[in-house]
């Protein structure tokens, strides 16, 4: 496998119209899960991927396994739990960044929260070139945290560990969540964290402070929202410089006509990991992350097919001026296979 992803996925109910959850009359069914999202996008990009988790022996579990498997993800190691349900959640149509956004989770005691070191096939988990994890799993239960500690522990034969911090304060049962996330991040090789998460969880301001707090990972990617993202490499005497030289690389975000913001972080991680598997330069990895995020931002759901590789490679190769002029809107990924479509991007 290129990538194995472990974590909970839930059935998500998306509102049929904007408004409060109390007022929305009906919902459309989808799926949502940080790790499975990454696996699905990478599979759509042509990589071999596996998703490992537990779901209930119920119809919602059937839907998750069938839908994720439909993206080409290997789901043969997903366990079915006859005693615990598949998690579900409902959300409003608004942007998560606004006060009007509501999410109602029904995941306490879910099948995925019962994952343990003893009942997970660790050989299957470690069978990829990359193992992708997130901080959400650690918050689900004490057993899930023990599993995360086992998977991020140093060992000579482990895969490259990719860790998305995904700080979700409401999931943690006590005040130790931030320190646990810091511990797990320090055990990873690639770390993704938003600068807003770093401020909220750790009181850290800026990529310089985040890199100082995470000296062990090979690369730390600090996402700065609409500003862009900076990747800080480990191997440098001048590690903490924050310009576009040496091993600290900043790439500005693209101008995007946003349809829905949900899932963009997972898509960014998938794009970055795809380029990492191709051994592309760090700048190109960041650009692929932005482009894959833009594919999700310009569609209504949590998941969207990534841009065709030829198109993405062509846009990644643009000079800085042309990159800065790009503006992507709905439908931009539907370019011809050679990437020559005239409407894949608009420029001012």
């Amino acid at each position: 496998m290129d990538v194995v992803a472990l974590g909970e996925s839930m059935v998500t109910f998306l509102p049929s119209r904007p408004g409060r959850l109390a007022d929305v009359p009906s919902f459309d069914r989808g799926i949502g899960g940080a790790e499975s999202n990454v696996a699905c996008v990478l599979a759509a990009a042509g990589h071999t991927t596996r998703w490992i988790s537990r779901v209930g022996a119920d119809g919602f579990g059937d839907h998750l396994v069938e839908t994720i498997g439909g993206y080409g993800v290997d789901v043969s190691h997903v366990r079915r739990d006859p005693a615990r349900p598949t998690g579900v959640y409902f959300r409003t149509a608004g942007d998560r960044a606004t006060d009007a956004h509501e999410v109602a989770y029904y995941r306490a005691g879910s099948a995925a929260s019962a994952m343990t070191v003893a009942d997970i096939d660790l050989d299957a988990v470690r069978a990829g070139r990359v193992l992708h994890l997130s901080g959400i799993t650690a918050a689900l239960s004490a057993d899930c945290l023990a599993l995360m500690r086992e998977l991020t522990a140093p060992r000579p034969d482990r895969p490259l560990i990719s860790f998305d911090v995904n700080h979700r304060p409401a999931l943690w049962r006590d005040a130790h969540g931030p320190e646990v996330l810091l511990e797990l991040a320090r055990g990873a090789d690639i770390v993704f964290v938003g600068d807003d998460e770093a401020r909220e969880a750790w009181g850290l301001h800026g990529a310089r402070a985040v890199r100082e707090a995470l000296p062990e990972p090979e690369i730390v990617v600090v996402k700065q929202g609409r500003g862009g993202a900076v990747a800080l490499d480990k191997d440098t005497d001048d590690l903490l410089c924050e310009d576009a030289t040496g091993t600290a690389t900043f790439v500005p975000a693209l101008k995007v006509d946003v349809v829905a913001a949900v899932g963009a972080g997972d898509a960014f991680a998938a794009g970055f990991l795809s380029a990492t598997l191709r051994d592309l330069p760090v700048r190109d990895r960041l650009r692929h992350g932005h482009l894959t995020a833009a594919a999700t931002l310009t569609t209504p759901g949590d998941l969207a097919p990534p841009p065709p590789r030829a198109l993405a490679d062509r846009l990644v190769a643009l000079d800085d001026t042309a990159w800065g002029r790009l503006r992507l809107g709905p439908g931009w990924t539907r370019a011809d296979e050679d990437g020559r479509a005239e409407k894949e991007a608009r420029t001012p």
Side-chain angles (χ1 to χ4, degrees):
M1 290 288 160
D2 289 329
V3 177
V4 176
L6 178 143
E8 181 172 35
S9 188
M10 295 181 291
V11 172
T12 175
F13 289 92
L14 311 174
S16 57
R17 70 183 190 195
R20 302 184 309 154
L21 286 178
D23 300 328
V24 175
S26 61
F27 296 80
D28 295 319
R29 184 180 63 178
I31 65 170
E35 302 85 0
S36 60
N37 283 350
V38 171
C40 289
V41 174
L42 284 167
H47 298 282
T48 54
T49 66
R50 170 181 293 156
W51 173 58
I52 294 181
S53 189
R54 290 173 69 93
V55 299
D58 50 33
F60 289 146
D62 293 341
H63 177 63
L64 284 175
V65 172
E66 291 168 7
T67 303
I68 294 170
Y71 280 86
V73 178
D74 173 23
V75 293
S76 61
H77 293 273
V78 176
R79 299 283 179 89
R80 308 304 295 264
D81 190 328
R84 297 175 180 84
T86 304
V88 301
Y89 74 98
F90 297 77
R91 67 172 174 85
T92 52
D95 189 329
R96 282 180 176 169
T98 69
D99 292 337
H101 181 72
E102 297 175 74
V103 181
Y105 287 104
Y106 299 90
R107 74 194 307 174
S110 68
S113 71
M115 288 188 292
T116 70
V117 174
D119 68 14
I120 290 290
D121 185 343
L122 295 179
D123 289 337
V125 174
R126 294 175 172 137
R129 296 168 60 191
V130 176
L131 171 59
H132 182 70
L133 307 167
S134 93
I136 294 171
T137 304
L140 298 180
S141 67
D143 283 335
C144 283
L145 174 55
L147 175 61
M148 291 289 287
R149 283 176 166 151
E150 167 67 23
L151 295 176
T152 56
R155 52 183 293 148
D157 59 343
R158 79 175 197 177
L160 193 75
I161 303 295
S162 166
F163 181 73
D164 195 334
V165 171
N166 269 328
H167 181 227
R168 299 288 188 269
L171 287 178
W172 290 94
R173 298 166 299 285
D174 54 41
H176 298 297
E179 64 186 73
V180 170
L181 293 173
L182 188 64
E183 168 202 338
L184 295 173
R186 293 182 67 176
D189 301 298
I190 301 173
V191 174
F192 301 96
V193 62
D195 58 356
D196 55 342
E197 291 179 300
R199 285 194 303 272
E200 183 180 12
W202 304 323
L204 300 175
H205 297 269
R208 180 190 304 272
V210 175
R211 181 76 248 201
E212 287 178 334
L214 298 171
E216 294 88 353
E218 291 298 322
I219 192 163
V220 175
V221 179
V222 181
K223 298 173 290 182
Q224 300 171 341
R226 294 185 179 182
V230 60
L232 297 113
D233 201 314
K234 181 178 181 179
D235 299 322
T236 177
D237 293 331
D238 192 19
L239 181 65
L240 302 177
C241 63
E242 291 189 48
D243 55 23
T245 63
T247 57
T249 306
F250 172 77
V251 172
L254 294 159
K255 300 177 184 70
V256 178
D257 297 331
V258 176
V259 173
V262 180
D266 302 330
F268 181 95
F272 189 93
L273 291 176
S274 176
T276 299
L277 288 163
R278 297 169 61 196
D279 201 26
L280 298 182
V282 172
R283 187 210 69 162
D284 293 3
R285 299 180 198 185
L286 290 168
R287 285 191 171 190
H288 275 284
H290 285 314
L291 287 166
T292 308
T296 295
L297 289 168
T298 51
T299 56
D302 291 24
L303 275 170
R309 182 172 291 183
L311 171 60
D313 285 346
R314 186 173 72 85
L315 296 180
V316 163
L318 293 173
D319 62 37
D320 290 344
T321 300
W323 176 265
R325 286 201 303 262
L326 282 176
R327 186 179 185 93
L328 306 178
W332 73 271
T333 60
R334 294 193 294 271
D336 61 60
E337 197 164 344
D338 294 327
R340 290 192 296 264
E342 296 297 328
K343 296 181 180 179
E344 88 276 1
R346 299 200 311 274
T347 55

